[in-house]
Each structure stands twice: as C-alpha cells, then as structure tokens.
Amino acid sequence: MGESSLPNAPLSERVRANLSFNNPLWKIFSRVGNNHYHPANNPDGILNLGVAENKMMRGELVKHLNPKLELTESQLGYGPDPSGSTKVREQIADMVNSHFAPVDPVLPAHITVHNGTTSAIDIFSYVTCDPGEGIMIAAPYYGGFDFDTFMRAKAPIVEVSMAPADMLHPERHVELMEAAYQKAVAEGILVRSIIFTNPHNPLGQCHPRALIENLLRFANRYNLHILFDEIYALSVFNTELNELGIDSGTEFHSVLSYPHLADLIDPSLVHVIHGMSKDFCFNGLRIGYLISPWNSTFINAVKTVSAFTWFSGTTEHVLTQFFSDPAWVAEFIQGNRRSLAQAYLHMARFLKRQNIPFIPSRAGHFIWVNLRRFCCSEGQSDGPGNEDEKEEEVTMAAADALFDRILDAGVYIAPGIVFHTHEPGWFRISFAAPQSEVDVGLTRLLKALAISG
Ligand SMILES: Cc1ncc(COP(=O)(O)O)c(C=O)c1O
C-alpha cells in the first residue's frame, strides 16, 4: 500500500539518515540472498567465501556442547544482569587471563557482555561520541564498522586510507593518522575515538608492537578513546606456520599485556572487544564482550544502555557450558589454529599456482587477494590481462563488474569496496571452510576469471 512514503507518518531524522545511507553490503546481501550453496540440497546455490565464518570446528563444537545443553527452569527467566551474570563474566575473565596474557588479571567487574561484538561497538560509539563526533579508523577496515558507528550513535567515521604496507608500518601508520586527524579538525569534526583492529581484518596480519605504542601515544596526545577490536586474537596461526617451516611474521600481543601502558597513554582511554563469533567459531550465538580494566565510569556508562543488548538466558546457558571446561577450551583454540594454518596453506598454494598476488595471512579466516589483472573495462573481453598493460585502466567500475561475474559463477568473495579500499581489484577470500567446499568455490572462481584449473 506504500504506507512508508505517507507524509503523515514522519520518521525521526536519525533514522531517515539511515534510510539514505548507501552501503555496498546491502546490494550484495540482496543478491546473495537465501540462495546458499549446499552440496546435496542446493548444489547450484551461491558458495559463500565472502563472510568471515569459521565452519571448520563446528562438528567438534556441536559434539562437545550437545550433551551439556539441558535447560533448567531458572534459565527461562530474565537472568540477573543485562550485561551478563557474575558467573559468565567470571568465566570470560578466566578465559582472557589464560589466553590474552594481561599484565594484571582482568576481573568480572571490567567486563560487560552483549548480544554480539557488533552491539558492543555500537555501544562504544554511543558512549564515546555525541552525534556528529568522529571515530578514526584506518582503511581498509571491516565494513560492519560503517553500521556499528553510525546507525544509532551517528558518529561519522574519519577514514584514514592506507596502502597495506603503511597499515603495518610503525611510523607511516601513525603519520597518516595524525594528518587525517588534523584535516578532520580543520573541517570542524570533533574526533573522540579510534577503532583499531588487531589482528587486522581484512589483511590477516598482526600489527607490530612499535606501531601500537606509537598509536597509543597519538591517542593520548588528543585524549581519544581507543577501542582495540581483538576479535581474531586467538585465530593467529603464525606459530603453526613456523612449525611447517614458513616465516611466522609478526606475533600478536593483546594491548592488555603491555607492561608499561601508563607510560604511553592514560589507561582509562583503552578498551578491548572480543566475542564468540570468530575465535570460538560460534557466530550464531551472538555474544561479544567489552573489557575495560581501567575505566569504571566507562563501564557504568555502558551499563546504562546494556538492557538493549541483553541476551537470552538460554544463550547464557550455552555460553557458560562452553566455558565450563577450560582445558577443553585451550585444546579447542589449539586445534582451531592448526586447522586455520592448513586451510590457509591450501588457499595460498592455489593462489600461487594461479599466479594471483596476495598478502600472506597469519591470522583470521581470510586472505587479501589482488585480482586487478582480471578487471577489465566494459566492452573488453574477459580473461586475464597483462598486469602492466592494465595498470592504467582499472577502475572501481571494472572491479565491480568482475565482482558481478564472480557472483554469476556461483561464488561470493568480498569486494574491496566493502572494506573502503581505494585501490580497485582487491578482494577478501575466506578459507575457513571444509576443503571440499572451498574447492567448489575456487573452481567457480577460476571459471569467472576464465583460467583453466
Ligand atoms: C573486525 C570485526 N569486528 C567485529 C565483528 C562483528 O562480530 P560479531 O559477530 O560478534 O558481531 C566482525 C565480524 O566479521 C569483525 O570482523
């Protein structure tokens, strides 16, 4: 009936800004839709190597949890605390103390639990920024930040565009942040915070300690909150690669483990997020947590709005069962790292065979791949071109057309535009799926790129 356009049914300015928010992910998700690949039930469906979901440990998770999941009557009520019961916050604190090597033990009082890390980032944005105040993020970055910072908090992202080498460079990274900060200030934007992803999505790399120290000094200079998104902290597989004789790259160190943090920054500006989706392969549980050991006012502020991210008693039950056996959790983490290393190597060998350039991954579920030589402008024939010849002519539109071709071939890989990269031709491919599935996806990819396998 078209009620949505009735002038007599006005919507808030806030939400009207959302409706006109143009994000490539919406178009992509509408194309991928519900037509998901399944080897038996829907073999012609779209095979998803675009979303960062680790499917490799699911069997193990289900086997471990199923026998423990009997509901009791008390789990049917509201539960004691919208930001997580003491028990679940104790369990999360124990897990963080065992696996993030914090200098001082993290306590349950430092933690708030939410229905997903997405919600935790939304709350961080809401709590640190008034509408119109900026959050700095180095690009390429995880595209979900666009929604998390803007839809409710209305905090614009101050995007700091960087080439991959600069993203990981201790001095260049912070010089670019400084320049972007000064530009934003000159444009009248009051910058309040930074979101920093380590290990990085989409690069799949850990940031060097020197870079993080410089960034902490930068944040301190301008009194900026800094949220460390450490959602891939336990999916680092550099040691496993090293054991196979492959250079291990930069190691991961949680900011919680920095011994002299107070020499670099007022610690009350430093916060961390982690959750169940990535390192524990449990995206569907919708659990993420904020950890803020040095700022009880921040924690209290978060709690004023945490009723809106309250998760069910049933979810809490699953969560407490997951964490009830720390030895099993430790084995799970190790097993996951080993399978990520194997899955990564499988993907990297494929890319090398096809002579497709990529940034070597050391963490996460994905690899950042350069397909620019397959991008061709409209009217040109499909197929690989000479990289030098194509240097001049590759446009975002050509990269878009390549994305469509790949999707038409039945596989979804995430285009660079979603991560705000300005260099056309980058894509993020997830490898954390059963090998048979990945191989179907790669065969379809080769078809779209017009290379014979
Ligand atoms: C860097 C990063 N942060 C946050 C999230 C959101 O995670 P969740 O499923 O807990 O909302 C993702 C998911 O892809 C991510 O990659």
Side-chain angles (χ1 to χ4, degrees), residues 50-368:
V51 172
E53 261 190 335
N54 182 347
K55 298 183 188 160
M56 296 185 299
M57 301 295 283
R58 284 183 175 173
E60 188 150 330
L61 205 50
V62 166
K63 195 167 99 203
H64 180 74
L65 281 178
N66 269 352
K68 294 167 170 270
L69 292 184
E70 198 170 314
L71 280 179
T72 61
E73 288 188 16
S74 67
Q75 282 141 14
L76 306 183
Y78 275 126
D81 188 333
S83 36
S85 67
T86 307
K87 176 170 180 186
V88 83
R89 284 181 293 109
E90 271 168 6
Q91 287 182 322
I92 292 171
D94 286 349
M95 183 280 291
V96 171
N97 292 331
S98 303
H99 297 288
F100 286 66
V103 178
D104 298 312
V106 166
L107 305 176
H110 302 151
I111 296 173
T112 55
V113 190
H114 308 277
N115 59 357
T117 312
T118 295
S119 297
I121 302 164
D122 164 65
I123 291 197
F124 169 81
S125 310
Y126 184 80
V127 163
T128 58
C129 297
D130 280 314
E133 293 179 350
I135 301 182
M136 299 189 77
I137 309 184
Y141 62 76
Y142 158 64
F145 291 147
D146 290 329
F147 300 95
D148 308 348
T149 54
F150 188 75
M151 291 297 151
R152 288 205 291 184
K154 294 286 168 290
I157 290 178
V158 175
E159 180 183 319
V160 190
S161 193
M162 300 188 188
D166 290 338
M167 178 68 82
L168 302 167
H169 191 280
E171 281 81 38
R172 281 294 294 152
H173 184 112
V174 181
E175 282 162 17
L176 290 164
M177 292 290 281
E178 177 75 51
Y181 177 83
Q182 297 303 344
K183 184 165 174 281
V185 170
E187 287 166 1
I189 298 173
L190 187 57
V191 178
R192 289 294 191 194
S193 47
I194 301 171
I195 299 178
F196 181 76
T197 308
N198 185 37
H200 192 263
N201 176 6
L203 296 189
Q205 291 269 340
C206 303
H207 290 280
R209 186 184 273 267
L211 187 159
I212 295 175
E213 290 180 355
N214 288 339
L215 192 67
L216 288 165
R217 288 191 198 95
F218 165 78
N220 193 54
R221 191 153 59 242
Y222 300 112
N223 203 28
L224 306 177
H225 285 272
I226 175 162
L227 179 69
F228 282 81
D229 184 335
E230 297 189 353
I231 197 167
Y232 295 101
L234 309 177
S235 297
V236 182
F237 46 86
N238 52 1
T239 309
E240 287 66 24
L241 288 183
N242 210 0
E243 279 163 12
L244 298 169
I246 296 163
D247 168 36
S248 56
T250 307
E251 280 181 34
F252 171 75
H253 297 284
S254 169
V255 72
L256 298 169
S257 72
Y258 278 43
H260 305 295
L261 192 69
D263 295 342
L264 303 166
I265 188 169
D266 170 353
S268 71
L269 292 167
V270 178
H271 321 278
V272 175
I273 46 169
H274 189 250
M276 297 302 288
S277 288
K278 310 299 173 179
D279 291 343
F280 297 126
C281 312
F282 211 159
N283 313 63
L285 191 64
R286 306 311 303 132
I287 287 292
Y289 25 93
L290 269 165
I291 307 166
S292 189
W294 303 285
N295 193 336
S296 56
T297 311
F298 174 84
I299 289 282
N300 287 337
V302 167
K303 285 184 175 176
T304 64
V305 285
S306 61
F308 306 121
T309 64
W310 204 344
F311 48 99
S312 71
T314 320
T315 301
E316 167 136 349
H317 178 52
V318 179
L319 193 57
T320 48
Q321 292 310 311
F322 181 94
F323 285 125
S324 64
D325 182 349
W328 178 83
V329 172
E331 268 172 40
F332 181 89
I333 293 168
Q334 283 314 321
N336 187 37
R337 286 181 159 150
R338 281 193 295 274
S339 46
L340 283 170
Q342 291 301 341
Y344 163 71
L345 283 179
H346 182 67
M347 178 66 72
R349 285 177 186 137
F350 163 87
L351 294 168
K352 275 194 185 140
R353 270 198 309 277
Q354 303 304 336
N355 203 18
I356 294 174
F358 60 90
I359 307 259
S361 279
R362 294 294 177 262
H365 307 162
F366 36 72
I367 187 162
W368 192 233

Side-chain angles (χ1 to χ4, degrees), residues 28 31-39 42-51 55 401-414 429-430 436-450:
I28 291 168
R31 278 206 64 193
V32 177
N34 285 323
N35 182 19
H36 296 296
Y37 169 85
H38 184 278
N42 192 18
D44 296 328
I46 293 177
L47 204 136
N48 192 336
L49 298 182
V51 172
K55 298 183 188 160
L402 176 63
F403 171 73
D404 286 341
R405 230 159 61 218
I406 294 171
L407 204 54
D408 288 343
V411 58
Y412 165 50
I413 61 173
I429 307 183
S430 297
S436 55
E437 230 176 78
V438 170
D439 286 345
V440 172
L442 294 180
T443 307
R444 292 178 179 185
L445 180 66
L446 289 186
K447 193 171 148 228
L449 301 178

